[in-house]
Amino acid sequence: MAKILLEMKKITKTFPGVKALDNVNLTVEEGEIHALVGENGAGKSTLMNVLSGIYPYGSYEGDIVYNGEICNFKTIKDSERLGIIIIHQELALIPYLSIGENMFLGNEIGKKYSIDWDRTYARADELLRTVGLDENSHTLIKDIGVGKQQLVEIAKALGKNVKLLILDEPTASLNENDSRNLLNLLLEFKKQGVTSILISHKLNEVSYVADKITIIRDGATIETLVKGKDSIDEDRIVKGMVGREITDRYPKRESHIGEVTMEVSDWTVYHPLYSERKVCDKVNFNVRKGEVVGISGLMGSGRTELAKSIFGKSYGTNISGTLKINGKEVKLNTVRQAINAKLAYVTEDRKGDGLILSSPIYINNSLAKLDKISTNNVIDKDKEILVAKEYKEKLNTKCPTVMQNVENLSGGNQQKVLLAKWMFADPDIMILDEPTRGIDVGAKYEIYLIINRLVAEGKSVILISSELTEILGMSDRIYVMHEGRMIAELPVEKANQEVIMSCIMKENNKMGNGYAKN
Amino acid sequence: MQRIKSFLKENTMLIVLILATIVFQILIVLNDKGSLLNPHNVSNIIAQNSFVVILATGMLLCILTGGNIDLSVGSIMALCGAVTGTLMITMKVNMYVAILVCLLVGTIIGALQAYCIAYVEIPPFIVTLGGMLMWRGVAQVILDGQTRSPFPDSYLKYFTSFLYKTDNSARLLTVTLCIAAIICILFILLEIMGRTKKIKKGYSVASMPAFLARLIVISAAILYFSYLLGNYKGYPVVLILIAVIVIVYSYFTSNTVPGRYLYAMGGNAKATRLSGVNTKKMLFFAYTNMGFLCAVAALVCIARFNSAAPSLGTGYELDAIGACFIGGASAYGGVGTVGGSVIGAIFMGVLNNGMSILGVDANRQMVAKGFVLVAAVAFDVISKRKVTTVKKQKPNKTQATA
């Protein structure tokens, strides 16, 4: 039996109100490729952040044993010194610096006050050859594609004398060829004795390279499958990933579904920067009065982009397709037009796109529809505050007064303020994008109650969520989106986690289909 | 107690201004150099700082949109002054036509820069830095490097004269105080009407003692100020102009929908855009308006100096920007008030004036002003941080889960 390189013992990490990791154990042997799989939000990334010191020692419970020693990493530097290198899903390269400069950023060759550029670039070229990247190290990062950037990240890791390489969804934005190359590179490294931890949603890739697969679900390790001992086909992995019973975490409601209120057909959207890249590809869907329609899919499947592009073209270029509201075709070119057409989009990024954190609750509450509380453009501030109080009561937002700045509220209460803001705009159709992301279980339940109340009032709700159980628990009908396309429409009775997951996995395996268009 | 504390925190700069005034007054009296608060000097401070107040008001709107500043204001003033001087003095054009042309030129230049900033999306710093050089140059060309003067009396009387002219000083004081009393009564009536309306509609109002205290303090301030002015030559006409501008822009920023949008986009531009606000239009408006106010300031300025010089307004952009930041505007946008900027402008004015009376030489004055600017803002930042850090910790942690 090979030497154990890394052992994470009983790791528990809590955020206020949420237990992100609960007694997680992970054992990695030297020279193996260890895959970590699980749903979005299961805790994979959190675990790797604990390992690499992003969450410093002391902010979690449990022990990290690396090379037989207990490690107390306080910063990323500490873990990097021991050769633990993490490559994040979002690449951390600086576009206007050259490949060489990026590779040795924070790890410069030469003296402290005089960088040896000749040696830097020579070493960079050498490392680029090791990863099979045929580029000059003087080339700027912005001039090479994402696939090559991913390789630069790996070369950068090699430059730091990597012993344990952690890759978080390395192939998420790569096409088939690049993915295959990258995986082969991992196998090559394995021969040279580098140990890797691979986080991936693409289970076929996992089966291809991994020696062991650890499944994480709801912040706990479920099982570890060993190649050659256990069966590691995709069905087996999926079962492990989603094998959880739906309990009554979702409030019941009686559905009274009426006419179609919004219908989207052949909706195609291109990426705003890379205008040849299709983000949504001939999407068709509709929603009815009093109905909750769930849109499921992995991160990056184009759900948010779809919603934003419908909402007054606030995302994407070259948008085509028809949008019908109450049977009539409408053109919504600005957000204002969308709001006036009684559409609302509640963003997934409440801090970045949703709220003005430095402003009080009442100002946030009315921003989307100030004409409701103003005459001739003059705001009736007293009425504004009164209205904000009403919504505070209605949604049970916990805050001392509505004069409180939003930044001082907890995530769940911020989410309620955001919902209140859009309910105040009097929409008929509400698109809720990840409405429960990062909030605790109690607040989630309250948000679900609000959703039920909205549809009981006859509104239509489109629920976008990465949590399958949430989609299954709340929706009347479910669409599955993947790589910018709607790949399935399921009534909730016929849907379960296995069905949805296997829809996605099947699409994933048709590699080439979706990628070619990128 | 809690209420007093929060009052102090919200009005730090006003208190600092009052303290600075008192300190200067004591120093000046001790050095036997007269008095900061003597009627003539108060009138002087107003005249000296009128254009800074006007510019600071416009600058605040730009800063609100996201910490964007306008470096070109001094140069736009010079150009507007040059155009007006040439029209009025060299070409003997009708005064009102000249004023109108001046305002138009300012607005058009503002709109030009605003277009580059809002729609071409060139950073404001660059556009206005370019403008700073360009408009100053155009002013030089128009004036051919010369200074135009003097302006006709009919023009000067609008900006440099006093409201009520008489040789009888006792009578002047009485009239001035009467006007002050009328202003106070109007103010009190408006406040009471507002309060009763609120109570009738069931809105919450400040407690009776707080309400009365507010009325008394503000009325007393108006009366005392008018008393000082009445002992000299009465209300300067420029004061009325400033008062109108300040009141209009205060109301605009705090009570209207577009005003609210300015604050919102400074707080979070992305969220504001997703709330259906045309943020480009707001940015365009802020910079166009700045150009307009530059023209107004230029009209006041050339009247005060009774000449249109190519060097007019040099360095005023920094006074205006400084006034806004001293007055509590955030360098990231979204925070700040017109009233605060006015206080900032007066603070700088008192500082200049006090040091001049004390006989501090100009070079040292610059050192002191620079130091005070940084110190004032540092004080503001630190006092605000104390309030928020304790509460902030919580959301910071939840951020990690998101």
Side-chain angles (χ1 to χ4, degrees):
Chain A
M1 192 165 161
K3 183 186 149 205
I4 289 174
L5 181 69
L6 170 78
E7 218 179 347
M8 298 181 81
K9 288 184 191 157
K10 294 195 167 179
I11 303 287
T12 299
K13 167 87 189 161
T14 42
F15 296 111
V18 193
K19 215 171 204 178
L21 295 175
D22 190 5
N23 274 321
V24 171
N25 295 304
L26 178 70
T27 309
V28 180
E29 283 172 20
E30 192 154 35
E32 70 178 4
I33 297 178
H34 197 117
L36 214 52
V37 297
E39 284 184 279
N40 290 335
K44 298 163 297 187
S45 297
T46 312
L47 185 65
M48 290 304 107
N49 287 343
V50 166
L51 173 59
S52 62
I54 291 175
Y55 298 138
Y57 175 74
S59 71
Y60 59 87
E61 290 161 39
D63 289 322
I64 299 173
V65 183
Y66 179 74
N67 249 339
E69 279 173 49
I70 293 186
C71 300
N72 305 332
F73 299 131
K74 292 219 167 53
T75 65
I76 307 178
K77 281 249 160 184
D78 294 341
S79 62
E80 285 190 350
R81 205 168 297 130
L82 296 181
I84 302 177
I85 311 284
I86 184 162
I87 298 176
H88 291 280
Q89 193 175 353
E90 305 286 331
L91 296 180
L93 296 170
I94 298 159
Y96 285 91
L97 290 183
S98 69
I99 295 177
E101 284 170 307
N102 266 289
M103 276 170 62
F104 291 95
L105 190 65
N107 190 23
E108 286 80 5
I109 300 179
K111 294 193 199 74
K112 208 164 192 179
Y113 303 103
S114 129
I115 297 173
D116 188 342
W117 288 115
D118 294 336
R119 262 176 67 207
T120 303
Y121 283 112
R123 178 92 179 105
D125 281 329
E126 201 178 296
L127 290 168
L128 289 181
R129 271 196 300 281
T130 334
V131 298
L133 181 57
D134 187 21
E135 283 286 344
N136 189 304
S137 58
H138 287 275
T139 314
L140 297 187
I141 288 294
K142 71 175 176 67
D143 295 331
I144 61 175
V146 201
K148 288 181 174 177
Q149 289 182 11
Q150 191 68 258
L151 291 176
V152 170
E153 278 277 17
I154 293 171
K156 182 179 174 180
L158 291 179
K160 291 176 186 166
N161 278 326
V162 61
K163 300 248 166 44
L164 176 62
L165 184 64
I166 304 164
L167 299 120
D168 193 352
E169 300 260 6
T171 58
S173 46
L174 301 191
N175 64 29
E176 183 193 4
N177 244 338
D178 288 346
S179 301
R180 186 61 55 150
N181 283 344
L182 192 133
L183 296 176
N184 287 335
L185 195 63
L186 282 187
L187 292 172
E188 191 59 38
F189 286 163
K190 187 176 138 185
K191 281 184 203 151
Q192 295 166 15
V194 175
T195 315
S196 313
I197 297 178
L198 173 71
I199 299 178
S200 181
H201 279 300
K202 298 184 179 168
L203 299 187
N204 54 338
E205 295 178 1
V206 169
S207 326
Y208 175 59
V209 292
D211 299 308
K212 280 186 199 156
I213 300 167
T214 294
I215 298 169
I216 294 190
R217 191 202 305 153
D218 285 344
T221 29
I222 301 303
E223 56 189 337
T224 298
L225 307 171
V226 182
K227 198 176 205 165
K229 206 166 99 192
D230 303 288
S231 137
I232 56 162
D233 63 39
E234 286 161 41
D235 288 342
R236 174 72 189 80
I237 301 172
V238 168
K239 201 176 153 206
M241 276 165 70
V242 297
R244 137 184 77 182
E245 298 293 316
I246 301 177
T247 50
D248 52 355
R249 287 198 291 149
Y250 304 96
K252 296 260 176 302
R253 71 162 179 274
E254 243 179 74
S255 299
H256 299 283
I257 296 170
E259 296 293 297
V260 172
T261 48
M262 184 169 89
E263 191 166 10
V264 175
S265 34
D266 288 336
W267 197 259
T268 303
V269 180
Y270 289 85
H271 195 277
L273 294 180
Y274 310 106
S275 52
E276 72 286 353
R277 196 152 108 202
K278 266 187 200 171
V279 182
C280 298
D281 189 5
K282 296 215 164 134
V283 170
N284 292 294
F285 76 99
N286 62 51
V287 58
R288 292 162 186 276
K289 195 170 161 44
E291 184 184 39
V292 178
V293 166
I295 298 184
S296 178
L298 302 174
M299 276 183 212
S301 58
R303 299 165 306 172
T304 298
E305 291 78 2
L306 171 68
K308 276 190 170 178
S309 63
I310 292 170
F311 188 61
K313 301 194 174 166
S314 45
Y315 174 91
T317 50
N318 213 349
I319 299 167
S320 61
T322 50
L323 171 64
K324 282 185 189 168
I325 290 181
N326 294 325
K328 254 187 271 168
E329 189 178 339
V330 288
K331 294 242 183 293
L332 306 176
N333 290 320
T334 65
V335 173
R336 181 51 55 195
Q337 286 171 1
I339 293 173
N340 291 340
K342 299 205 165 263
L343 202 62
Y345 168 69
V346 183
T347 172
E348 60 176 337
D349 181 6
R350 60 175 171 267
K351 283 167 197 267
D353 286 355
L355 296 166
I356 301 171
L357 295 175
S358 56
S359 287
I361 295 169
Y362 74 92
I363 282 181
N364 276 286
N365 193 67
S366 50
L367 186 64
K369 196 107 179 163
L370 276 173
D371 41 338
K372 257 176 87 181
I373 46 149
S374 59
T375 38
N376 298 326
N377 270 343
V378 174
I379 300 169
D380 184 344
K381 278 197 188 169
D382 301 303
K383 196 169 163 194
E384 185 176 29
I385 291 169
L386 218 62
V387 168
K389 279 183 183 157
E390 249 170 58
Y391 276 92
K392 169 190 177 250
E393 299 295 322
K394 213 159 138 189
L395 303 194
N396 194 20
T397 313
K398 284 175 203 77
C399 56
T401 72
V402 292
M403 320 297 273
Q404 173 116 6
N405 280 359
V406 174
E407 64 193 343
N408 297 332
L409 299 176
S410 71
N413 284 313
Q414 285 181 350
Q415 190 64 38
K416 286 184 192 167
V417 174
L418 187 62
L419 273 172
K421 168 181 165 179
W422 286 106
M423 284 161 72
F424 177 75
D426 291 328
D428 285 339
I429 303 150
M430 286 186 92
I431 307 174
L432 308 182
D433 197 350
E434 304 278 3
T436 63
R437 174 183 286 179
I439 67 179
D440 63 81
V441 181
K444 273 186 182 177
Y445 192 80
E446 286 186 82
I447 302 273
Y448 298 144
L449 287 177
I450 295 167
I451 294 176
N452 281 354
R453 209 186 311 153
L454 287 171
V455 288
E457 285 167 11
K459 299 192 190 307
S460 311
V461 172
I462 298 167
L463 176 68
I464 298 175
S465 175
S466 296
E467 270 185 58
L468 281 176
T469 49
E470 182 172 290
I471 291 274
L472 290 165
M474 291 303 297
S475 312
D476 296 305
R477 196 150 52 90
I478 296 166
Y479 286 98
V480 184
M481 201 166 170
H482 187 69
E483 304 279 349
R485 284 170 302 122
M486 288 292 183
I487 53 170
E489 179 189 349
L490 309 158
V492 72
E493 305 80 42
K494 287 197 186 152
N496 58 42
Q497 305 195 28
E498 276 89 350
V499 171
I500 293 177
M501 268 316 218
S502 62
C503 274
I504 295 172
M505 294 311 156
K506 252 186 238 154
E507 279 301 309
N508 247 340
N509 292 352
K510 288 193 223 159
M511 280 224 226
N513 281 1
Y515 296 127
K517 283 176 195 128
N518 289 343
Chain B
M1 195 60 214
Q2 194 61 40
R3 213 177 290 153
I4 295 170
K5 244 187 199 163
S6 75
F7 174 81
L8 289 179
K9 228 148 229 166
E10 276 159 28
N11 296 288
T12 16
M13 286 327 292
L14 182 62
I15 292 154
V16 171
L17 172 64
I18 292 170
L19 286 178
T21 313
I22 292 170
V23 168
F24 271 116
Q25 177 70 0
I26 291 170
L27 282 175
I28 290 167
V29 172
L30 282 182
N31 283 308
D32 215 14
K33 293 248 169 83
S35 164
L36 184 75
L37 295 173
N38 89 34
H40 185 166
N41 195 42
V42 169
S43 210
N44 234 343
I45 294 180
I46 294 171
Q48 276 170 0
N49 294 289
S50 50
F51 21 90
V52 179
V53 171
I54 297 170
L55 292 177
T57 308
M59 191 67 75
L60 179 78
L61 302 198
C62 297
I63 291 176
L64 282 181
T65 61
N68 303 314
I69 53 175
D70 189 334
L71 291 172
S72 65
V73 294
S75 300
I76 297 180
M77 273 178 76
L79 176 54
C80 290
V83 169
T84 321
T86 311
L87 286 175
M88 240 186 259
I89 297 166
T90 321
M91 299 168 73
K92 309 266 186 250
V93 173
N94 175 290
M95 182 182 96
Y96 297 101
V97 174
I99 291 177
L100 201 70
V101 171
C102 173
L103 294 176
L104 261 175
V105 167
T107 313
I108 290 170
I109 292 177
L112 214 65
Q113 296 193 144
Y115 181 82
C116 293
I117 292 165
Y119 295 100
V120 189
E121 296 177 22
I122 308 170
F125 189 89
I126 312 274
V127 172
T128 59
L129 184 68
M132 183 178 174
L133 295 168
M134 215 160 33
W135 311 128
R136 172 83 54 202
V138 176
Q140 302 262 23
V141 170
I142 291 176
L143 291 173
D144 200 16
Q146 309 284 309
T147 298
R148 298 269 188 284
S149 72
F151 279 91
D153 285 339
S154 55
Y155 174 70
L156 294 181
K157 83 163 192 236
Y158 274 105
F159 294 101
T160 55
S161 66
F162 293 85
L163 198 58
Y164 179 79
K165 273 203 193 96
T166 172
D167 291 331
N168 184 338
S169 60
R171 190 154 164 204
L172 178 71
L173 183 61
T174 327
V175 171
T176 309
L177 283 179
C178 279
I179 297 175
I182 292 169
I183 295 172
C184 287
I185 290 168
L186 275 177
F187 166 71
I188 292 172
L189 276 177
L190 274 176
E191 285 281 306
I192 291 176
M193 268 162 57
R195 188 181 162 90
T196 40
K197 207 170 110 192
K198 274 191 186 185
I199 292 173
K200 215 191 264 168
K201 285 193 182 169
Y203 299 151
S204 64
V205 288
S207 70
M208 201 60 187
F211 178 67
L212 286 178
R214 184 181 140 84
L215 290 187
I216 291 167
V217 169
I218 292 177
S219 302
I222 294 174
L223 286 171
Y224 175 67
F225 192 58
S226 304
Y227 170 77
L228 285 177
L229 291 174
N231 272 324
Y232 181 56
K233 286 183 181 169
Y235 292 115
V237 177
V238 154
L239 182 63
I240 297 166
L241 178 71
I242 296 177
V244 170
I245 289 178
V246 168
I247 290 170
V248 166
Y249 280 91
S250 274
Y251 187 81
F252 172 77
T253 50
S254 61
N255 286 298
T256 68
V257 173
R260 172 65 57 80
Y261 289 165
L262 284 177
Y263 283 95
M265 72 181 280
N268 185 343
K270 260 160 75 189
T272 309
R273 235 171 283 137
L274 276 178
S275 302
V277 179
N278 187 342
T279 50
K280 288 183 180 175
K281 211 164 105 190
M282 297 314 301
L283 202 56
F284 181 79
F285 164 75
Y287 276 92
T288 308
N289 174 69
M290 185 75 249
F292 169 75
L293 286 179
C294 285
V296 175
L299 289 175
V300 175
C301 213
I302 51 176
R304 176 168 158 73
F305 297 135
N306 196 7
S307 69
S311 63
L312 182 83
T314 308
Y316 285 7
E317 55 279 343
L318 301 178
D319 283 342
I321 294 165
C324 290
F325 289 139
I326 288 181
S330 158
Y332 305 104
V335 178
T337 60
V338 173
S341 304
V342 173
I343 288 171
I346 298 174
F347 182 76
M348 301 252 279
V350 167
L351 210 62
N352 278 332
N353 187 274
M355 286 192 294
S356 298
I357 294 177
L358 282 172
V360 180
D361 81 287
N363 299 327
R364 279 160 210 220
Q365 279 193 27
M366 273 184 0
V367 177
K369 260 168 70 181
F371 175 76
V372 166
L373 173 64
V374 177
V377 175
F379 181 71
D380 196 43
V381 167
I382 293 165
S383 70
K384 287 217 172 80
R385 189 185 301 151
K386 267 185 197 145
V387 195
T388 43
T389 39
V390 185
K391 293 175 194 161
K392 249 187 183 170
Q393 275 165 358
K394 222 175 163 189
N396 273 353
K397 273 184 197 157
T398 43
Q399 203 164 18
T401 52

